[in-house]
Amino acid sequence: MPKVILITGTSTGLGVQIAVHAAQAGHIFYATMRNLAKRGTLDAALAGAEPRVTDAALCLKARLDSGS
């Protein structure tokens, strides 16, 4: 059964590696970072992992932009 995991600091280093490991293990995870401009590092690392990713930061931004 997949676990649900919150991973912070996923724009570099250990956070990226934990996200890749979680994806490869089939877990559902929420990846967060302070600077979304650095998201490319995470996206590149996850490219071959076929993860189940929920992008909470972008979901929240979309909600705020829509006024919900």
Side-chain angles (χ1 to χ4, degrees):
M1 172 177 248
K3 295 180 181 180
V4 178
I5 305 167
L6 172 65
I7 307 169
T8 62
T10 58
S11 61
T12 60
L14 187 58
V16 172
Q17 295 304 314
I18 293 169
V20 169
H21 181 74
Q24 291 172 337
H27 298 302
I28 299 166
F29 65 93
Y30 294 87
T32 67
M33 63 187 72
R34 286 185 285 178
N35 185 351
L36 289 177
K38 295 182 178 181
R39 180 182 171 168
T41 304
L42 178 62
D43 290 339
L46 292 173
E50 298 183 22
R52 293 170 43 182
V53 177
T54 300
D55 192 331
L58 292 182
C59 291
L60 176 59
K61 182 180 182 324
R63 262 183 98 188
L64 293 174
D65 290 345
S66 70
S68 299

